[in-house]
Amino acid sequence: QSKKAGKNTLRFFNPDMQATIEARHQMERWLQQALAKNEFRILYQLQVTEERQEQFACGAELLLRWQHPVRGLVSPAEFIPLAEETGLIVPIGQWVLETACRQIKTWESDPLRQHLQLSVNVSARQFRHPEFVRHVLNALQVSGANPRNLKLELTESLVLENLAEAIAKMQAIKQVGVQFAMDDFGTGHSSLSNLKKLPLDQIKIDQSFVRDLPANHDDAVIVQTIISMARNLGMEIIAEGVETQAQCEFLAVHECRNFQGYLFSRPVDIDEFERLLLRFPVAEQAALTHLKSGV
Ligand code: C2E
Ligand code: MG
Ligand code: MG
Ligand code: MG
């Protein structure tokens, strides 16, 4: 190699890049096989609602894992971005949705569990798919699940990509009774005027604002602002990443009475989730409605 091809020269190929591309292709093949071999698992993380100092289970968020034969349980941060890029997130996401619907149906005849609401994360690629509305309605229809027990979590950036289209899709899905939550709220760039236009039922305060509560003054102010904004827009509010009693108390004092976080439970498999319900009785719908109306 000539001296001219020094460090200021762009090289289109170097061994590192080659390795990266190979690794990506390998990962993509693994993901494809994982789907075919049923290596994806779903964990359920309890959502709790507090009423008159008592805590009840109100639902769970479904969190995806990949049970890799060699690497063990792989977290979504490691494979969702690639699944998103390759489009594999569409069939994977559909599988999560179908699993949620089947679980809802399973609980239908149980007088208490029938009140649990399951929350499913929806990725940008999945939501943008022209057939997304049909995918959701299909999962509901095939399973026979009550749409009122299903909640879909979207993120700000996903919705802002095309606000009008997002609203239209949300409305089409809401028509049958499915609810929508805004995930990781506060980390994106949505303006108040945009937020107001969205047919959201719930706002999830991102865990980054919860982490340093109650000591961090800035976070305390942000959280109080989000809570009052949600209330003024008629949306329910839930805090993510609640790990300590002090965080929980701060939130409750400021009228956020729905929580999700390690303080209550880590994400667990369905059997363990059902055992958790022995410690956290299921909130009855009546109680929830009561809570929502702020009486
Ligand atoms: P997310 O939807 O914001 O989920 C909350 C994340 O916070 C989960 O991480 C959960 O395990 C974690 N978490 C819950 N409570 C606590 C706590 O008290 N402290 C701390 N430090 N963390 C807590 P996880 O399971 O690793 O998922 C990460 C992200 O991957 C999710 O963030 C979501 O964006 C994405 N994801 C997970 N499952 C799916 C899925 O089925 N589909 C799609 N599209 N994305 C998914
Ligand atoms: Mg989520
Ligand atoms: Mg979140
Ligand atoms: Mg998150």
Side-chain angles (χ1 to χ4, degrees):
Q1 221 168 353
S2 76
K3 269 204 166 152
K4 268 189 178 167
K7 56 184 169 191
N8 294 325
T9 313
L10 257 183
R11 286 183 300 183
F12 289 104
F13 255 100
N14 62 43
D16 286 356
M17 260 173 80
Q18 183 62 40
T20 308
I21 292 167
E22 277 305 311
R24 268 181 52 105
H25 282 154
Q26 182 60 53
M27 186 82 172
E28 195 177 333
R29 280 194 295 274
W30 279 339
L31 271 181
Q32 235 147 12
Q33 286 169 13
L35 193 61
K37 293 195 284 185
N38 293 317
E39 286 174 357
F40 289 109
R41 299 282 174 270
I42 288 170
L43 299 184
Y44 294 74
Q45 190 178 29
L46 179 70
Q47 295 182 331
V48 163
T49 185
E50 190 179 277
E51 207 192 344
R52 286 181 236 102
Q53 329 288 342
E54 274 187 90
Q55 289 162 347
F56 301 93
C58 57
E61 175 175 5
L62 278 73
L63 294 161
L64 194 60
R65 297 289 182 271
W66 175 12
Q67 181 72 57
H68 191 275
V70 179
R71 293 168 63 201
L73 221 51
V74 185
S75 84
E78 291 183 59
F79 64 86
I80 294 226
L82 186 64
E84 176 90 23
E85 272 177 60
T86 56
L88 276 170
I89 194 66
V90 175
I92 296 172
Q94 185 65 11
W95 175 75
V96 179
L97 206 52
E98 286 163 4
T99 307
C101 288
R102 272 196 302 274
Q103 191 55 58
I104 289 167
K105 182 68 181 176
T106 305
W107 284 332
E108 184 186 59
S109 53
D110 184 317
L112 279 177
R113 290 173 191 178
Q114 67 180 207
H115 297 302
L116 290 167
Q117 202 166 38
L118 292 185
S119 223
V120 172
N121 290 287
V122 176
S123 83
R125 181 91 178 240
Q126 198 185 353
F127 187 76
R128 256 194 278 124
H129 194 285
E131 295 292 313
F132 179 67
V133 174
R134 205 178 53 79
H135 287 164
V136 175
L137 300 182
N138 225 36
L140 286 164
Q141 209 161 37
V142 168
S143 62
N146 185 344
R148 294 190 188 285
N149 294 78
L150 181 66
K151 194 180 280 168
L152 301 179
E153 297 192 3
L154 309 178
T155 54
E156 289 167 85
S157 55
L158 176 164
V159 164
L160 293 182
E161 263 172 36
N162 187 339
L163 194 66
E165 194 191 311
I167 293 170
K169 283 188 176 184
M170 289 169 76
Q171 274 163 350
I173 293 168
K174 279 182 72 76
Q175 244 169 27
V176 299
V178 175
Q179 299 196 346
F180 279 93
M182 180 64 84
D183 203 358
D184 306 337
F185 187 76
T187 59
H189 307 281
S190 54
S191 69
L192 266 178
S193 66
N194 282 340
L195 194 71
K196 185 179 79 177
K197 291 181 201 148
L198 291 167
L200 290 167
D201 300 279
Q202 186 185 58
I203 284 180
K204 301 188 80 173
I205 304 174
D206 189 69
Q207 53 191 61
S208 60
F209 303 116
V210 173
R211 192 174 305 129
D212 299 325
L213 289 181
N216 187 303
H217 177 72
D218 291 349
D219 289 341
V221 170
I222 290 169
V223 164
Q224 288 175 66
T225 307
I226 296 174
I227 294 170
S228 70
M229 183 207 67
R231 189 187 311 119
N232 290 330
L233 292 174
M235 296 168 189
E236 195 187 77
I237 188 103
I238 183 167
E240 295 190 274
V242 179
E243 293 184 358
T244 69
Q245 199 58 49
Q247 292 167 343
C248 191
E249 274 160 26
F250 176 92
L251 289 157
V253 163
H254 294 93
E255 308 287 320
C256 170
R257 296 205 173 81
N258 299 305
F259 317 107
Q260 182 182 339
Y262 297 166
L263 178 63
F264 305 98
S265 172
R266 296 202 167 238
V268 294
D269 67 31
I270 189 67
D271 294 336
E272 209 173 327
F273 178 75
E274 292 200 319
R275 280 196 292 277
L276 265 178
L277 298 178
L278 301 172
R279 273 202 288 136
F280 296 93
V282 179
E284 306 241 16
Q285 206 57 37
L288 280 176
T289 315
H290 176 78
L291 199 79
K292 274 180 202 160
S293 63
V295 182

